[in-house]
Amino acid sequence: MKSGKKHARIFLSPPHMGELEQKYVAEAFASNWIAPLGPHVEAFQREFAATIGVSHSLATVSGTSALHLALQLVGVGQGDDVFVSSLTFAASVNPIRYLGATPVLVDSERESWNIDPALVLQAFKERAKIGKLPKALVIVHLYGQSANLDPILECCREYEVPVIEDAAEALGATYKGRPVGTFGRAGVFSFNGNKIITTSGGGMLVSEDRRLVTHAFKLATQARDPAPYYEHSQVGYNYRMSNVLAGIGRGQLRVLSERVAARRRNFEFYAAALKDLPGIEFMPEASWGTHTRWLTTMTITPAEFGIDRDELRQRLDAANIEARPVWKPMHLQPVYRGCTALGGLVSEDLFRRGLCLPSGSNMSPADLERVVTTVRDAARQPVLTRAVS
Ligand SMILES: *Cc1c(COP(=O)(O)O)cnc(C)c1O
């Protein structure tokens, strides 16, 4: 497959800068605001909150740190259980462990690939009887799509379990017309390099609860008490975003809706160009919201498609195209072995057969064509070992 190497590599989800980022970064340099805090941080927080329609926000060094703060501030601590989707990136679960708590890993439903409300409801009912309700529930909105929020929120309201939304992959997605990240006690976003907008690294914590965000601010700045000298009555962190990176974030925020539109166009192109191939199914768009298609993901049925997910990924790689397997569920991860899993078969199947295609908002029509051609060629080629025998 040497011929593929003539082409530049097509990455899964590379950064895509707009026109204003460098201007804002230059402003930070010109004013020597190279510190955490500073005018861009303030403005980025304000503009971000306004964009998704939430009252309070705190810019952080990463999505992971924002989730860590959120979990701590809803009261998660040593020995607590926290419910979370199993089909996700490890960063949704690791902060539960930072606090000495134990994740309970919940399977996905087919309709959205997100946490299955029926499993949550059933488990809450049983746990309420024995006084073992979890301290919090983390809802992950996977690959740019909202989870089925109403039944989960209703269940959490009934049993008084606080909800944190991990919307790291879903900035711009909506549930019944309202942006995700605004439904729980707190919402968390990421601006890592591969996300729909990026500050190279960064995150945001949002909430309607002013006290929660004020407390998060304090914890994120080494938990300094208000005193003229350095006084600390709590263990804090160094989790604030730098003013330089917030400048990038402000520029990126301006083009968010264009980025969502471009990613959705990628998906529509793939879906139309591959729809006649047997054995390919795209992640469904559930009826309740807008999927940003941060990543276009699909499952392969090898008996119909001709080759399996791994072989297809390797064919794409040989053509210098980056594609990645769907997240390996947390209940299958060595680090979370022994944690309680509720169900698991759906996420295991999605992991085994799922592939994420290149989805950058800066992909050219030629890039998209190249991916489609490679997938189509792969579908027609019999597997070598089978062809020989
Ligand atoms: C990227 C991501 C995070 C973590 O964000 P970072 O900014 O990389 O720390 C958390 N959860 C999910 C689902 C993610 O995809």
Side-chain angles (χ1 to χ4, degrees), residues 217-224 231-232 234-239:
F217 171 88
K218 183 178 173 182
L219 286 178
T221 12
Q222 306 288 19
R224 266 186 82 177
E231 173 108 335
H232 307 268
Q234 237 185 320
V235 173
Y237 312 101
N238 182 5
Y239 276 176

Side-chain angles (χ1 to χ4, degrees), residues 62-64 88-89 91-92 140 166 168-169 190-192 195 202 327:
S62 64
T64 310
T88 186
F89 181 44
S92 305
V140 183
D166 177 351
E169 299 181 3
S190 166
F191 313 113
N192 196 15
K195 299 300 194 314
W327 300 124

Side-chain angles (χ1 to χ4, degrees), residues 48 51-52 167-173 180 189 191 196-197 253 256 260 292:
F48 188 90
T51 299
I52 63 162
E169 299 181 3
L171 176 58
V180 300
F189 294 87
F191 313 113
I196 198 156
I197 62 170
L253 202 53
L256 173 62
V260 172
T292 66

Side-chain angles (χ1 to χ4, degrees), residues 8-325:
R9 188 158 179 83
I10 300 175
F11 291 102
L12 187 75
S13 182
H16 182 186
M17 291 297 111
E19 284 168 7
L20 289 169
E21 289 83 348
Q22 279 194 326
K23 172 180 157 286
Y24 287 128
V25 170
E27 270 176 33
F29 273 75
S31 60
N32 203 31
W33 273 105
I34 314 294
L37 310 175
H40 281 327
V41 173
E42 302 289 326
F44 185 38
Q45 289 175 169
R46 205 170 51 240
E47 290 160 4
F48 188 90
T51 299
I52 63 162
V54 73
S55 302
H56 308 286
S57 55
L58 175 76
T60 56
V61 289
S62 64
T64 310
S65 56
L67 183 56
H68 184 192
L69 293 170
L71 286 162
Q72 182 168 336
L73 289 170
V74 302
V76 172
Q78 197 72 37
D80 292 329
D81 282 348
V82 175
F83 277 40
V84 59
S85 317
S86 187
L87 186 66
T88 186
F89 181 44
S92 305
V93 184
N94 288 338
I96 297 169
R97 273 285 199 245
Y98 301 167
L99 292 161
T102 304
V104 174
L105 305 164
V106 187
D107 202 7
S108 301
E109 52 165 15
R110 292 253 171 218
E111 203 175 347
S112 68
W113 296 18
N114 284 311
I115 193 166
D116 184 342
L119 292 174
V120 173
L121 182 59
Q122 190 197 344
F124 278 19
K125 257 189 204 152
E126 287 163 11
R127 283 168 166 254
K129 284 185 217 145
I130 53 168
K132 281 224 27 143
L133 282 166
K135 203 57 180 262
L137 180 143
V138 177
I139 298 179
V140 183
H141 303 297
L142 209 65
Y143 294 130
Q145 167 149 274
S146 172
N148 188 2
L149 282 172
D150 277 347
I152 303 165
L153 293 173
E154 192 185 308
C155 172
C156 287
R157 216 175 294 123
E158 184 182 342
Y159 291 97
E160 296 181 347
V161 173
V163 170
I164 296 168
E165 292 177 79
D166 177 351
E169 299 181 3
L171 176 58
T174 61
Y175 178 78
K176 299 188 175 171
R178 181 170 143 192
V180 300
T182 64
F183 292 86
R185 273 289 299 286
V188 165
F189 294 87
S190 166
F191 313 113
N192 196 15
N194 59 356
K195 299 300 194 314
I196 198 156
I197 62 170
T198 181
T199 58
S200 81
M204 193 75 78
L205 171 69
V206 302
S207 179
E208 282 308 312
D209 182 344
R210 189 180 55 80
R211 287 184 52 213
L212 186 146
V213 176
T214 306
H215 197 169
F217 171 88
K218 183 178 173 182
L219 286 178
T221 12
Q222 306 288 19
R224 266 186 82 177
D225 291 334
Y229 40 85
Y230 286 87
E231 173 108 335
H232 307 268
S233 41
Q234 237 185 320
V235 173
Y237 312 101
N238 182 5
Y239 276 176
R240 297 302 315 277
M241 180 182 278
S242 103
N243 194 56
V244 178
L245 300 190
I248 302 178
R250 292 185 71 193
Q252 287 274 277
L253 202 53
R254 298 279 193 96
V255 290
L256 173 62
S257 56
E258 290 161 43
R259 298 298 182 256
V260 172
R263 295 209 183 226
R264 284 185 59 89
R265 276 199 305 276
N266 289 341
F267 163 73
E268 276 151 25
F269 182 87
Y270 284 135
L274 298 172
K275 69 167 184 284
D276 60 307
L277 292 182
I280 287 186
E281 270 179 285
F282 290 94
M283 178 181 180
E285 178 163 21
S287 57
W288 53 72
T290 304
H291 194 325
T292 66
R293 301 291 177 180
W294 169 57
L295 296 184
T296 289
T297 53
M298 61 187 194
T299 52
I300 303 294
T301 306
E304 293 166 30
F305 185 72
I307 57 175
D308 66 12
R309 188 275 312 277
D310 289 325
E311 176 114 20
L312 177 59
R313 192 188 60 73
Q314 284 160 22
R315 299 267 175 105
L316 287 161
D317 190 55
N320 219 5
I321 296 166
E322 184 186 28
R324 291 210 192 147

